[in-house]
Amino acid sequence: LEARVHTWTVRVSGLRRTAALVARRVFPADWQAPMRARAVHVIGGARRRPYLATARALERWCARERLDRLAARVLMLAAEHD
């Protein structure tokens, strides 16, 4: 769902504004302002079409069906806002 919101926001508001929203969510603390500014600069400077194509690819990507092929133990973690 998160990736779909980003692609919708890019289409409606543009990449620079979406970058600002994403950066604010990823780096919310005041002391993270330089990281937030960098994220806005990098994401906001990306070309729209490749950004949207990457977001759509990440929406579809899932490795769960291949986990049984791993020889080592796997610890899967998830956060509230993954």
Side-chain angles (χ1 to χ4, degrees), residues 59-75:
E59 276 183 56
R60 294 186 304 268
W61 185 83
C62 182
R64 279 180 289 183
E65 68 278 355
R66 297 184 304 273
L67 286 177
D68 62 338
R69 298 183 204 163
L70 295 175
R73 289 183 171 191
V74 175
L75 173 62

Side-chain angles (χ1 to χ4, degrees), residues 6-8 10-11 15 47-57 59:
H6 290 175
T7 56
W8 178 82
V10 169
R11 287 190 198 103
L15 198 48
R47 292 190 338 251
R48 182 178 177 202
R49 198 174 221 165
Y51 180 89
L52 289 173
T54 300
R56 283 192 295 271
E59 276 183 56

